[in-house]
């Protein structure tokens, strides 16, 4: 009996490991290639998580398998995320078509179920609404100071945040040098090379700068550190946990699920405190203005309106006009905080990491910045907004940031869209209800797009150097929005860098 039971258990285990994916393909995968065959799915598929566990535990191997499947299937592959088939596009001609305005606004909608924790945190913000409500809110948010045309107004906050963090980094380096001397490193004839962990500084910069842009003031250091810890925990345990791809898992009342819910409430509580502090400051300023004083000094202008001092002020003004509810103002404040901190910190941290791993590239960037400073009196104030954002003054820095985003995108994939009806995409027939997405992390390793050195850090590819090793201009010329969408955040990150 024991042997029979063991044999049954072994058979069930084998089926779960190798037969489950075939059953899902048979019953739920109705996405077809131009030749009439089903789009091949990524294997192995495990119950009940699909391919999520394998993608998290073996990212490099999974990436290579996905690329090979995409090559056999005309640039697309199906990935099972729990019970949902997600169609990932890898060919730029598919990406260009699937992420244009008509496709995203008219043929697809947001896929909210896999992002239920995010929905609980962000509420009815710009990041979670369906298309119908997104159209309305998007126009309001752009007026409130989030459009690319408002980047110039953000620049002072970036500079202030950079100055504060640089002083802290300098002190940390000095402490590390002092400790090295205490350990008699010099007496041993070794070169002093103190190591410090930069990511916490990058995260603090992201938090202080983004809160400054949202509220007009930098966040209190203690609040900032706590907020950074909370967002980091939420991303690691609430977003990147495959358990939550299963419906209902979010509401498990114990273990990590309970901690994630507590984290969401604490993030929102800190947001409420910041909103209260901003409102109190605004009241003090109004009293001083009525008394003829200069209040607390000029506030940083972010939006276009004559009275606009921060994104929060602008959103609140929209609420007073009846364009937003106050709950929507709060939800969008939470959304900007939660969506911006981690991605910005990671992007900057990864850029610094790539520079540290490639000293020749680092030297080129340093010389270019020194040359830009040399046009003035040599101080950092000469790095104006126009200089930083220019493609002619700092072309190599621009290329380094783009290459970092290409190889190590802060978000490895675009948020999934769900098809409203059966749709044709370059001959592929995709079923209604299928989710579609693309993975920057995978496309960045494809030699079809980036040449034979696709897996190597090579900023020169964006400067037209290297012959066969790059074909960026060719790809951008053929698909004007394909690579642009993958590298869309390069403009803002250059400002932060």
């Amino acid at each position: 009996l024991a042997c029979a039971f063991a044999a049954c258990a072994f058979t069930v285990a084998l089926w779960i490991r190798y037969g489950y994916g075939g059953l899902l393909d048979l019953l739920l995968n109705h996405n077809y290639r131009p030749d009439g065959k089903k789009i091949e799915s990524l294997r192995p598929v495990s119950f009940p998580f699909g391919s999520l566990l394998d993608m998290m535990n073996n990212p490099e191997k999974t990436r290579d398998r996905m690329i090979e499947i995409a090559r056999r299937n005309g640039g697309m592959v199906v990935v099972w995320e729990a019970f949902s088939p997600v169609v990932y596009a890898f060919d730029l001609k598919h990406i260009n078509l699937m992420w244009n305005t008509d496709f995203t606004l008219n043929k697809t909608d947001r896929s909210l179920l896999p992002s239920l924790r995010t929905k609980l945190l962000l509420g009815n913000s710009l990041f979670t609404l369906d298309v119908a409500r997104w159209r309305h809110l998007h126009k309001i948010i752009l007026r409130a100071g989030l459009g690319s045309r408002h980047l110039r107004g953000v620049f002072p906050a970036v500079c202030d945040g950079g100055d504060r963090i640089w002083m802290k980094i300098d002190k940390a380096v000095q402490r590390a040098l002092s400790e090295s001397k205490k350990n008699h490193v010099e007496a041993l004839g070794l070169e002093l090379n103190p190591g410090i962990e930069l990511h916490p500084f990058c995260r603090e910069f992201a938090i202080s700068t983004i809160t400054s842009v949202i509220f007009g003031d930098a966040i209190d250091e203690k609040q900032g550190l706590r907020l950074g810890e909370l967002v980091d925990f939420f991303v690691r345990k609430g977003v990147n946990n495959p358990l939550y791809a299963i419906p209902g898992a979010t509401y498990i009342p114990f273990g990590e699920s309970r901690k994630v819910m507590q984290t969401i409430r604490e993030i929102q509580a800190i947001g409420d405190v910041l909103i209260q502090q901003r409102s109190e400051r605004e009241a003090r300023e109004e009293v001083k203005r009525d008394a003829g004083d200069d209040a607390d000094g000029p506030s940083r202008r972010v939006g276009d309106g004559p009275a606009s001092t921060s994104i929060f002020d602008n959103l609140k003004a929209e609420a007073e006009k009846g364009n937003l509810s106050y709950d929507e103002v709060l939800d969008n404040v939470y959304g900007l905080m939660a969506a911006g901190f981690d991605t910005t910190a990671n992007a900057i941290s990864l850029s610094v990491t790539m520079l540290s791993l490639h000293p020749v590239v680092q030297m080129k960037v340093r010389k270019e910045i020194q040359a830009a400073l040399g046009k003035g009196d040599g101080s950092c104030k000469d790095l104006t907004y126009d200089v930083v954002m220019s493609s002619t003054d700092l072309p190599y820095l621009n290329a380094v940031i783009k290459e970092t985003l290409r190889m190590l995108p802060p978000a490895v994939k675009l948020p999934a869209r769900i098809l409203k009806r059966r749709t044709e995409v370059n001959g592929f027939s995709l079923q209604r209800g299928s989710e579609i997405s693309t993975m920057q992390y995978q496309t960045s390793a494809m030699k079809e797009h980036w040449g034979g050195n696709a897996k190597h850090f090579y900023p020169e590819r964006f400067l037209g150097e290297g012959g066969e090793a790059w074909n960026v201009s060719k790809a951008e010329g053929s698909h004007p929005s394909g690579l642009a969408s993958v590298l869309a955040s390069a403009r803002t990150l250059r400002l932060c860098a």
Side-chain angles (χ1 to χ4, degrees):
L1 230 113
C3 290
F5 179 79
C8 288
F10 182 70
T11 301
V12 170
L14 282 178
W15 180 83
I16 289 176
R17 180 66 174 171
Y18 297 104
Y20 179 59
L23 183 64
L24 289 177
D25 275 336
L26 178 66
L27 298 178
L28 301 176
N29 181 13
H30 302 295
N31 301 287
Y32 295 95
R33 305 183 322 209
D35 62 7
K37 296 180 179 180
K38 288 187 176 182
I39 301 174
E40 191 177 341
S41 64
L42 177 67
R43 301 297 177 88
V45 180
S46 302
F47 179 84
F49 302 110
S51 295
L52 291 174
L53 288 179
D54 208 46
M55 292 171 69
M56 295 181 65
N57 296 331
N58 304 292
E60 292 288 335
K61 291 182 179 179
T62 303
R63 177 174 73 174
D64 292 341
R65 286 204 307 271
M66 290 180 74
I67 291 173
E68 287 303 316
I69 295 172
R71 285 172 180 155
R72 294 197 300 265
N73 288 262
M76 290 196 187
V77 59
V78 170
V79 175
W80 291 101
E81 298 186 2
F83 315 109
S84 301
V86 182
V87 181
Y88 284 98
F90 288 78
D91 191 294
L92 289 182
K93 66 177 180 290
H94 304 327
I95 296 172
N96 180 51
L97 181 60
M98 294 166 70
W99 296 98
N100 63 27
T101 304
D102 174 64
F103 202 90
T104 55
L105 294 184
N106 299 324
K107 297 180 180 178
T108 65
D109 211 332
R110 290 176 184 262
S111 176
L112 298 180
L113 185 59
S115 307
L116 188 54
R117 285 90 47 227
T118 307
K119 177 70 174 174
L120 290 172
L121 174 60
L122 307 184
N124 293 318
S125 71
L126 187 67
F127 304 97
T128 59
L129 294 177
D130 57 33
V131 167
R133 290 186 292 170
W134 180 90
R135 290 175 186 266
H136 168 71
L137 184 59
H138 184 247
K139 295 177 182 178
I140 297 173
I141 294 295
L142 289 180
R143 287 201 302 266
L146 286 184
S148 58
R149 62 194 176 94
H150 297 287
L151 286 177
R152 186 182 295 274
V154 172
F155 190 67
V158 175
C159 293
D160 292 346
D163 288 342
R164 287 194 300 271
I165 295 303
W166 176 247
M167 287 190 292
K168 291 189 176 184
I169 292 175
D170 186 54
K171 288 180 180 178
V173 170
Q174 295 303 321
R175 284 197 300 270
L177 282 169
S178 177
E179 288 298 320
S180 295
K181 290 177 180 178
K182 288 180 182 178
N183 293 331
H184 307 290
V185 175
E186 288 181 309
L188 296 174
L190 300 177
E191 181 181 355
L192 283 175
N193 187 20
I196 60 171
E197 175 59 52
L198 277 177
H199 184 71
F201 294 103
C202 296
R203 187 171 63 187
E204 185 178 346
F205 166 79
I207 290 172
S208 65
T209 302
I210 291 173
T211 52
S212 181
V213 170
I214 295 173
F215 299 107
D217 299 297
I219 191 172
D220 174 78
E221 184 174 348
K222 187 176 180 180
Q223 283 179 321
L225 290 173
R226 181 56 182 160
L227 193 55
E229 293 171 355
L230 292 169
V231 172
D232 181 66
F233 178 83
F234 176 75
V235 171
R236 286 188 296 107
K237 302 297 185 180
V239 176
N240 295 333
N241 190 334
L243 174 66
Y244 300 118
I246 301 173
T250 296
Y251 298 104
I252 297 174
F254 53 83
E256 281 190 353
S257 182
R258 182 185 179 196
K259 291 180 181 178
V260 168
M261 297 299 289
Q262 291 173 339
T263 298
I264 290 174
R265 288 192 289 270
E266 190 171 349
I267 290 173
Q268 292 175 336
I270 292 177
D272 292 342
V273 170
L274 294 174
I275 290 170
Q276 180 64 30
Q277 290 173 345
R278 175 60 191 169
S279 299
E280 291 173 356
R281 182 191 172 193
E282 187 179 353
R284 291 196 305 270
E285 289 176 344
E286 187 173 352
V287 170
K288 290 186 177 183
R289 281 194 297 270
D290 291 342
D293 295 336
D294 291 332
D296 294 337
S299 296
R300 185 176 295 109
R301 184 170 181 265
V302 175
D304 285 336
S308 61
T309 56
S310 70
I311 289 175
F312 172 68
D313 291 337
N314 295 343
L315 288 173
K316 195 165 67 169
E318 293 288 347
E320 291 169 356
K321 296 175 185 176
N323 296 327
L324 289 174
S325 68
Y326 192 68
D327 284 342
E328 287 177 319
V329 172
L330 298 181
D331 288 342
N332 280 283
V333 167
Y334 300 147
L336 293 173
M337 288 164 47
F341 293 162
D342 197 62
T343 50
T344 302
N346 286 343
I348 297 173
S349 181
L350 290 169
S351 297
V352 173
T353 299
M354 297 309 287
L355 287 174
S356 68
L357 293 174
H358 299 85
V360 174
V361 173
Q362 182 182 154
M363 185 59 65
K364 287 183 179 180
V365 171
R366 179 177 295 176
K367 287 182 178 179
E368 184 177 78
I369 293 175
Q370 288 174 338
L373 290 173
K375 294 179 180 179
D377 61 8
S379 65
C380 287
K381 72 176 185 296
D382 293 314
L383 285 178
T384 62
Y385 174 84
D386 292 321
V387 170
V388 170
M389 301 303 287
S390 171
S391 60
T392 56
D393 288 319
L394 297 169
Y396 196 69
L397 174 62
N398 182 54
V400 167
I401 293 173
K402 283 189 174 183
E403 180 70 346
T404 302
L405 291 172
R406 182 191 73 84
M407 290 193 68
L408 300 168
V412 297
K413 72 173 192 174
L414 295 180
R417 311 285 302 182
I418 191 165
L419 289 169
K420 297 178 181 178
R421 53 186 177 273
R422 178 165 286 279
T423 304
E424 295 288 327
V425 177
N426 295 325
F428 288 81
S429 179
L430 306 181
Q431 72 185 74
R432 177 181 179 274
S434 281
E435 296 177 34
I436 60 169
S437 186
T438 188
M439 286 191 174
Q440 300 95 304
Y441 182 63
Q442 271 74 359
T443 56
S444 69
M446 296 182 70
K447 61 183 180 182
E448 294 91 331
H449 306 323
W450 304 102
N453 65 347
K455 294 186 178 181
H456 298 281
F457 187 72
Y458 186 66
E460 285 76 8
R461 76 177 77 244
F462 288 96
L463 300 175
E465 302 175 16
E468 187 275 334
W470 82 290
N471 59 354
V472 175
S473 61
K474 178 182 176 183
E476 287 182 335
S478 302
H479 312 289
S481 67
L483 287 176
S485 65
V486 175
L487 299 169
S489 55
R491 179 175 174 82
T492 306
L493 179 57
R494 184 165 69 252
L495 179 64
C496 294

